[in-house]
Each structure stands twice: as C-alpha cells, then as structure tokens.
C-alpha cells in the first residue's frame, strides 16, 4: 500500500474517534547508515512522530529508547531519554504535524542528517518540525542511573538497535526522571521482543514488527492485531494522561520570627514581623528583633513551596547570558531573565556564589537550563541545584560529581551550614556580617534568607548564627552564599514592580557574578 495513503488513512481514522484517540503516535523510524557502536553512536538515526489530535501540548513529555541488547531490569532501561522543553514550539501542535528527531552521533552539534544541506525546521506553521534531538533549545537530556543505587548518572545516547528496539513516548508533568514506562502515550518496536519485560510492560497502544530496519531507510511498524487499538484507544478514556488540575497551595501565615525565638537563643525580643502572601506557595517574611546583646537584626525571608508546579528556582547571570564571568546587579539581571523566559517571570531573587572581584568568575559551577557553563568545583566548595525531576539538592563536591548530569539549574556556595538536620560545627567564620543563605526543608520546600549587617538597624550574623536560624526555620540542609556587600533580596510586588527589600552594607546594590531567581509560570 502507498505509505502516504496509509498515513492519511490512519490520521483520518484516529481523528474520527471523538476524542478517544491518541494525541501523538510514533509513525516510523529511520535507521542511520552508521549503525550502533561507541564511535558512531547511532549517527543519523531518526524518529518520526505524527500529531493526530488538534492543539496538543507536548511540553514536558519524554521520548526514550531502551538498551536493545538487554530486555529486562535497570540495564535494559538505560537508553536515551529526552524531555520536550517548556517552550512555545511544543505548546500548541496542530493535527497532521510531523516531528522528526534526529541523532547526530558522538558530536552533538554535528549534522544529524545524511543530507549535507540539512537545515533544522523549527517553524511548525508548515506542519513539519525537524530537529537535532540534541538541540538544547527544545529538548533536554535526562540522565540515567548507572546502577540500582544511583551511585552516578550517565547521559545516554539515543541509538536505534540494529536488531531490536523499543521507542516510547510518555506523558510527563516535568517531575519524572524518564525511567520505566509510566504514563505511556504510544510505543514503536521492532525485532524479537518476546522476552522483553519492558516492551511487554508498556500498556499504551504499540506498533511492532519482527522486521529489522535496513541501514539508510525508514521502517514502518505493523499493527500486529490488525486493529486500530494498536494506534489508539477506541473505547473508554484516552491513554493520554490529562494534566493535573492546578490547586493553589494553602496560604501560610505561620510566624517565622516566633520559630526563630523558640528554637534558638538568639532572640531577646521580637520588634516586628510582616508576612506577605503575594503568590500561591510563596511567603515573604520581614523580621526585626533584638538579640541578647541588645543589637538589632533585620531578616528577609522567602519560604517557598515548590510542590506548586508553577514555581521553580533558576540561575541568573549578567544579561542572562550563558557565561561564567562578569558582574551585574541582580535587579538589572531580572529584565533579561524575564525576556528570555517562556510564560514565566521572576518573582523573587537573591545573590549567588562567591566570585573573583576582578573577573567576575564564580568560585563554583554554573549550570543554566541544563547547560554546564562552568563545571569545575573544588573540594572545599559546595552547590545548590534544581535536578531534572524538579527536586532540589544541596551538597559537597562528591555529591555534585554524582548528580551533575542531572542538574538543570545550579551554582556554588562556600559553606554548608546545616547537613541532614544538624548544624555543621566546623564553620569557623566568626565575623558579624550581612549574609545570604538558601536551605531545603525537603527537596521541594526551600528557604531563601538575607540578613542585613554592619548597620545600626542590623549588625548581621556569624556563620554559626546563620546556621542556627536556618535550622530553626526547619531546613535539613543549608548553604552559605556570598554575603557582605553582595547580599541582595528582591521581590516582585503585587503591582508588578520589583523592590529590593534589604539595605546593602555598601549603601547601594553591588554587581555580582550570578543569582538565584524564584520563577513563576504565568499561563
């Protein structure tokens, strides 16, 4: 049968199922001429998806293949995994759109097509998208654990097997890691998979052929059951999982000043506390108190519930550029970050890592949107990060080395203040200064804190005092960021204006190397 007619026929049939069809199917695969191998890495392999429902939102979905030589267990799930990023290209796909994802081989920026004149097509208005699967503007690699204990993670290449393969398209809300076959949308497979627990465990419609692909040619799978159910769900509800209904987190008005007073010996009397809830899941707290030595302390705190899918913490750099040098005030970084962010905006910010004053080069790593701009971290430095499943981590170099391929947003910090719920005793900086810290109550609840210092309204903290306060606020892990004149705390007010709340000890805001931004989706 003419394949074009078959494609049109399937599309028409699926579109007639009154909303019960799959939204996207894996239509065919292309086996590159170079095949498997450690040097070729599946160069020119390609997958073609067909959108069969109108106005599909594929943001955060995952496309993956399986390790074709292994049919069971973790090792068999060690193929390439890529997330469709939260960008405009994937938000509103029209029925009939084809999406071709191409594998470039070992060099990710190489031409992914055997056509030397190949040019990516990222204009969906012509119902065709054709891109390098390693294009980090549109897809994000999800690292796989190297063993059952996740002692390290590996960036797996998408590579079609010469003799057998399973390709799976999965729905995801952005919190998944890509392992297993949860929330399957559609699968495409070839070769003898009778003993494959992965293939047999996929519950979505799936196409399969015993034929193996010829190198340099497309392979269309078959409907083994000679039934449209291999393409779509005809009865009942669609196999596609619907996005969860957004539920705002409850308003949190608990006194943070009282928590500090009850859980430390640092507070003689509370002077004032103002709590503001401008955004769901975000509590601003502004606290003034007098310590036992009758010195004033001023605190600026964000308590953030990142279980809210609209919230995330991301790295800011000068002009939002992919650089790890130069400096800029945090307030001036914000417009650039907003301009480059799709349907989200900065609603809070603090300064980031220590840096060289002459060059602006930060002491620790800088990772933005999965791009490792600066990877190096020395043995005495630590890190804060958002991982590829939208959980958050704080740790030393050893933990950074284990997780770095999973980090989507991350930067460094000098001292760990609290670890596993215990104040770290080895932190010996006893100077009383302005300080900035970020801490985890758990891997989805965060405290951002700045204390003013070297001024009459607030003298500041030693690192031990900062650690005690972070622990009192409920964090299990906390890290010290750059302080002194660098300490900066900015929020977006309910009227949309940005306000720096703290009073920098320099008298004005200092230009810094990087920042941490609290982002909120606007759609």
């Amino acid at each position: 049968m003419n394949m074009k007619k078959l494609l049109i026929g399937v599309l028409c049939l699926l579109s007639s199922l009154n909303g019960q069809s799959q939204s996207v199917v894996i239509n065919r695969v292309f086996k590159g001429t170079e095949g498997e191998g450690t040097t070729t890495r599946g160069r020119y392999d390609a997958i073609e998806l067909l959108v069969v429902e109108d106005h599909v939102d594929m943001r955060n979905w995952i496309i993956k293949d399986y390790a074709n030589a292994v049919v069971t267990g973790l090792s068999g799930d060690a193929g390439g995994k890529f997330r469709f990023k939260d960008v405009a290209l994937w938000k509103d796909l029209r029925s009939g759109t084809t999406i071709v994802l191409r594998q470039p081989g070992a060099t990710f920026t190489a031409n992914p097509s055997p056509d030397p004149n190949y040019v990516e097509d990222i204009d969906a208005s012509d119902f065709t998208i054709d891109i390098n699967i390693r294009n980090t503007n549109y897809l994000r690699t999800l690292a796989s654990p190297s063993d059952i204990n996740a002692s390290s993670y590996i960036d797996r290449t998408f590579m079609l097997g010469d003799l057998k393969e399973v390709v799976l398209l999965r729905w995801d809300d952005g919190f998944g890691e890509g392992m297993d076959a949860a929330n399957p949308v559609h699968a495409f497979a070839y070769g003898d998979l009778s003993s494959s627990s992965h293939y047999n465990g996929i519950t979505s419609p799936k196409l399969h052929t015993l034929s193996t692909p010829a190198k340099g040619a497309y392979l269309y799978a078959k409907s083994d059951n000679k039934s449209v159910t291999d393409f779509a769900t005809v009865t009942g509800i669609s196999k596609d999982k619907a996005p969860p209904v957004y539920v705002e987190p409850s308003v949190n008005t608990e006194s943070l000043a009282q928590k500090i007073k009850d859980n430390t010996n640092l507070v003689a009397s509370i002077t004032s506390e103002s709590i503001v809830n401008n955004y769901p899941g975000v509590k601003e707290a502004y606290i003034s108190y007098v310590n036992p030595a009758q010195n004033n302390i001023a605190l600026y705190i964000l308590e953030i519930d990142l279980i809210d899918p609209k919230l995330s913490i991301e790295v800011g750099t000068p002009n939002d550029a992919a650089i790890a040098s130069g400096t800029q005030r945090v307030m001036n970084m914000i417009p650039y970050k907003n301009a480059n962010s799709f349907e989200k905006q900065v609603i809070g910010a603090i300064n980031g890592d220590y840096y060289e004053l002459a060059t602006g080069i930060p002491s620790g790593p800088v990772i933005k949107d999965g791009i490792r701009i600066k990877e190096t971290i020395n043995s005495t430095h630590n890190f804060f990060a958002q991982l590829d499943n939208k959980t958050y981590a704080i740790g030393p170099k050893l933990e950074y080395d284990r997780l770095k391929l999973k980090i989507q947003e991350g930067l460094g910090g000098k001292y760990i203040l609290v670890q596993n719920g215990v104040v770290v005793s080895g932190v010996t900086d006893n100077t009383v200064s302005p300080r900035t810290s970020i801490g985890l109550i758990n891997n989805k609840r965060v405290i951002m804190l700045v204390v003013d210092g070297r001024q009459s309204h607030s003298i500041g903290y030693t690192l031990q005092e900062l650690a005690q306060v972070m622990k009192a606020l409920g964090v299990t892990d906390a890290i010290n960021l750059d302080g002194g004149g660098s300490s900066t705390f900015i929020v977006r007010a309910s009227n949309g204006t940005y306000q720096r709340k703290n009073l920098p000890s320099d008298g004005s805001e200092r230009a810094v190397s990087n920042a941490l931004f609290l982002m909120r989706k606007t759609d």
Side-chain angles (χ1 to χ4, degrees), residues 302-322:
L302 286 175
E303 184 175 359
I304 307 159
D305 188 353
L306 292 159
I307 198 72
D308 186 329
K310 292 189 175 185
L311 299 175
S312 61
I313 296 175
E314 301 180 10
V315 170
T317 54
N319 299 336
D320 197 44

Side-chain angles (χ1 to χ4, degrees), residues 128 165 299 308 416 460:
T128 301
E165 187 58 87
L299 296 176
D308 186 329
I416 289 182

Side-chain angles (χ1 to χ4, degrees), residues 259-268 289-293 464-465 468-469 472:
K259 288 181 75 171
I260 296 169
K261 189 174 190 299
D262 291 344
N263 294 289
T264 72
N265 59 1
L266 301 175
V267 181
Y289 71 83
V290 177
N291 69 15
Q464 276 294 303
E465 289 170 335
Q468 291 175 49
V469 167

